[in-house]
């Protein structure tokens, strides 16, 4: 991600100053199935909440910076 952002900036692309990454770690990346493990399933809702919170916070910061508040 860092390399991609650096390359984009060198190309003059308009990119954000900050990038927030949300991840859920897998316990075992060598086994695959149709359903998430219990640990991953339990992490989905709190991670979704964190993403939604970040979206709301970012929207609020954008409104304040651009005078829309």
């Amino acid at each position: 991600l860092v390399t991609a952002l650096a390359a984009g900036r060198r190309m003059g692309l308009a990119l954000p100053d900050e990038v927030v990454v949300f991840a859920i770690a897998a316990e075992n990346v060598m086994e695959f199935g149709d359903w998430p493990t219990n640990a991953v399933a339990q992490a989905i809702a709190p991670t979704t909440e964190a993403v939604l919170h970040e979206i709301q916070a970012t929207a609020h910061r954008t409104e304040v910076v651009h005078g829309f508040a």
Side-chain angles (χ1 to χ4, degrees), residues 9-68:
R9 287 190 177 98
R10 283 193 305 274
M11 292 187 291
L13 299 176
L15 298 170
D17 294 328
E18 178 183 40
V19 175
V20 179
V21 176
F22 295 89
I24 298 173
E27 292 175 13
N28 181 347
V29 297
M30 300 305 291
E31 294 181 18
F32 298 89
D34 293 334
W35 303 101
T37 63
N38 288 335
V40 170
Q42 291 174 0
I44 292 172
T47 303
T48 302
E49 289 296 321
V51 170
L52 294 173
H53 177 76
E54 181 63 26
I55 290 169
Q56 291 173 342
T58 300
H60 177 71
R61 286 192 303 269
T62 301
E63 289 173 357
V64 171
V65 168
H66 295 292
F68 299 124

